[in-house]
Amino acid sequence: MATVPLGAHLHHCCRLEIPKFTINSLKSKQSSLDCSRKGSSILKNGAKIRNWRPRFDSRVPSRTVIRASSNSSGNTAVLDAAVSDDVIFRETFPLQRIEKVEGKILIRLDSGKDEENWQLTVGCNLPGKWVLHWGVNYVNDIGSEWDQPPVEMRPPESISIKDYAVETPLVKSSTVTEADQIYEVKIDFNTKGSIATINFVLKDEETGSWYQYRGRDFKVPLMDFPNDNGNAVASKQGFAVWPGTSGELSSKLLQSEGEKESNDSKESIQQNRSLQSFYEEHCIVKETQLQNSMNVYMKRSSEASSNLLHIETDIPGDVTVHWGVCKDESKKWEIPAEPYPANTSVYKNKALRTQLLLKEDGQGCSGVFPLDEETRGFLFVLKLKDETWINCKGNDFYIPIPKESTQGSKENDISGSDAEVDEEVSIYTNEIINEIRHLVTGISSGANRKAKSKEAQETILQEIEKLAAEAYGIFRSSVQSLPEVGSDSEEVEDRVKVSSAVGSGFEILLQGFNWESNKSGKWYLELEEKAQELASLGFTIVWLPPPTESISAEGYMPRDLYNLNSKYGSVDELKSLVKKYHKAGLRVLGDAVINHRCAHYQNQNGVWNIFGGLLNWDDRAVVADDPHFQGRGNKSSGDNFHAAPNIDHSQEFVRKDLGEWLRWLRKEIGYDGWRLDYVRGFWGGYVKEYMETSEPYFAVGEYWDSLSYTYGAMDHNQDAHRQRIVDWINATNGTAGAFDVTTKGILHSAIERCEYWRLCDSNGKPPGVVGWWPSRAVTFIENHDTGSTQGHWRFPGGKEMQGYAYILTHPGTPSVFYDHLFSHHKSEIAALISIRNRNKIQCRSKVRVTKTERDVYAAIIDEKVAMKMGPGHYEPESGSQNWSMAYEGNDYKIRSVLNVKSNSRRI
């Protein structure tokens, strides 16, 4: 359950006077805006991105309609037909911005009909679909975070949430004015009961946000109750009037409070103990994601200037374009010669600033920028009136001038042999440079956490050394043939010893089990017989199932981590399997389930949170904010897995024990790396520590997150989704990759709905994690959860080979599911793996997307392999390359260049 802690976003205020505020007086603020993955990183709590159509194809008619965004009135803006006939460039950029609105959570406790019956009212003065997620503590239930309240205490429309809470919707108050607009819920209770506290968090179902108090649940004490966490409200006793109530009602309530104090019923006071009326306000900030767009198009001009660049956007208010031009490919800002558009000023002799003009219909603004014939590119960023800057993926917007529009430029006729020589180097080095940037960003945030700049600098140097080793490994692989299977092991290790997260970069992964594999009891023995076959098919790594003793037969509810006798086989059979695979040239991943662990014993309250075995932890190893297991650790650093106690990785003894366990597995069993289960449950910085401790050859985390949908249809823009995965990889400082769930989801919609235009983002790159950080993306189409007998998110039936045609020809590290390999797909998968290996496609290979339409997607990889998917037609341009059909299947074709450098073979 993701939350927005109040402590991080607002201040706490207690007021005893009559509050004076209306919803119309709330402050509205706009935060930073970006049409990029950096912009998506500010999205919180699963807010959905609106469905944006694919970038325009140059062959569609010039008349272009830009649909109004979600926050507009529904009107449309249409390009002027007079300028549409000669358009030589156009692109629409989706822009995301976060609007912040300040409001208050209102809490009131007062007596009702008599001194035994009281009422708790929780309200919010912001519009929204608010739900109170709440539970209670009973007097004798010490240590429990949540229990369900009795049925008679639950307001109408309440629903049960499992066995520990209820959810009650807030409704608009009938006692306030329209201007105040309070949404509230009233909870009646009897003081003679055994309830000690009422706990709650406020949930906004429109945005998915959860609002807490100081990082924990709100706690309303009803009796003398120890407050160890500092999250109890009513820190100041007293009474104030609910916003919007009349003076007559206020007097009546105050009189009721006075009568209570004058009452000489000692028995009632004793029963109530220290219960007193109070009213509090807690400031909150609601973040609403708004969508806008910007349309940029360019047309030829018959006048002195070569081209006219048009910019129009539906962003309300003043918009200023901060801009310049470049005369070459350097993208260096220069101030062009006049003439300039109206409302233009010079900024520090480095750039120009032009305020866009309001459109006649009032829906946004636009401007026209003349560009001379020497201009090769137009660079700009947008600035709003509230000092918000809008850029593109953290960089400037860059609009290249089409070469065919320049006149008499000799530069366009030069073939540039040096560029051809450097192109192959840049394919790899650019990705490595990007990774260094990712690491520096991640390490900087880590340095802020620890406030130890020296340690941060040392970490940066260590990571750069790893990447330098990786670059050298790529260089070695480009001048030497890959080692043959079964060659001398020491020589192989010397050649491919590079980054621990990605292995050699040429890895192909097989998931070596499905959901039913445990049922034979001899799975390790069955897999051992397949060692030579898997090696001959071209696989390099096999992912094995969880090895530990487990409450569930599948292994994902581990208990004694050092007991490796599981439903898949004995520890000796596991060792024999790993040894056999190593002999065949295969590496092996262990499935490490360290987010949660099942307990051996119950505590004094009957809760299972005491562990046995060599790692005999107590409840300090369990996070404190999971209401099921009464942990005494710290708050979880991720999402809770409610089926088992969630381990608190912030505890030093936990990290020490888990690090030793991973090292023991490496030495005792011979695992070469890890598949990390449910990494959403704990901070990626802990993963970095575990990876540095165990030094795996390859590591991948299961960061599973929901994609964005609108009215049941998957949104085109999934940048926010892949950003969350990239953020986790960043938190690990690149020591582990992640399964590319984004790519799997987009492949689902593209193939199932025949919408292949989805397979390209706004920058012409693959739309998943593989488009941003390919060396850390492990691509897949199915696993034991999504397929097998579980079938939670099964790939479109009969279309599996299209998915494999994509991931086995594209960068990233492809993963093949066991059920697909050992089926009628085996020969096709083997053929695709062979094509990948012969053409030396690897995790950083360069993709050039050449066609994205409704019924066809096509791309060229490393200028060696051309692939197309979908029923539509595509033929790669021949040019100087001689393409030959390498393999063909149902709605996909793979071609390769006949002569591939030193490894010239006809495919």
Side-chain angles (χ1 to χ4, degrees), residues 261 490 830:
E261 291 184 359
E490 292 183 359

Side-chain angles (χ1 to χ4, degrees), residues 688-721:
K688 174 181 180 290
E689 182 174 336
Y690 296 140
M691 296 305 98
E692 291 177 344
T693 298
S694 60
E695 298 182 336
Y697 173 79
F698 189 95
V700 55
E702 181 206 27
Y703 191 96
W704 198 275
D705 202 357
S706 297
L707 281 83
S708 180
Y709 295 82
T710 300
Y711 302 118
M714 181 177 290
D715 295 345
H716 177 228
N717 187 332
Q718 295 293 340
D719 285 356
H721 184 269

Side-chain angles (χ1 to χ4, degrees), residues 792-811:
H792 291 318
W793 194 22
R794 201 179 300 279
F795 202 77
K799 307 287 187 178
E800 293 87 356
M801 288 313 304
Q802 283 193 61
Y804 281 119
Y806 183 91
I807 69 173
L808 286 170
T809 58
H810 280 58

Side-chain angles (χ1 to χ4, degrees), residues 89-128:
F89 171 91
R90 64 167 165 260
E91 185 163 358
T92 296
F93 298 90
L95 307 176
Q96 307 159 3
R97 61 193 177 98
I98 300 296
E99 183 178 69
K100 295 183 178 181
V101 181
E102 296 179 358
K104 293 179 174 63
I105 294 177
L106 316 168
I107 306 172
R108 183 183 66 190
L109 182 69
D110 60 87
S111 59
K113 300 176 181 178
D114 51 53
E115 295 178 5
E116 291 182 3
N117 295 289
W118 284 62
Q119 187 178 77
L120 173 69
T121 305
V122 179
C124 181
N125 71 329
L126 292 177

Side-chain angles (χ1 to χ4, degrees), residues 33 76 144 165 309 363 428 566 628 719 746 749 756 838-839:
L33 178 61
T76 58
S144 174
L309 183 85
Q363 298 295 320
Y428 310 114
S566 69
H628 294 287
D719 285 356
I746 293 173
S749 285
Y756 291 88
R838 286 201 300 267
N839 289 276

Side-chain angles (χ1 to χ4, degrees), residues 711-766:
Y711 302 118
M714 181 177 290
D715 295 345
H716 177 228
N717 187 332
Q718 295 293 340
D719 285 356
H721 184 269
R722 58 175 169 174
Q723 182 66 54
R724 291 191 290 272
I725 299 177
V726 167
D727 287 344
W728 179 83
I729 301 172
N730 247 338
T732 75
N733 280 356
T735 58
F739 286 107
D740 194 347
V741 181
T742 316
T743 290
K744 172 178 167 63
I746 293 173
L747 280 171
H748 269 248
S749 285
I751 293 174
E752 187 173 42
R753 301 164 65 96
C754 197
E755 296 175 343
Y756 291 88
W757 47 263
R758 292 180 177 275
L759 294 171
C760 184
D761 68 9
S762 60
N763 292 312
K765 292 186 177 183

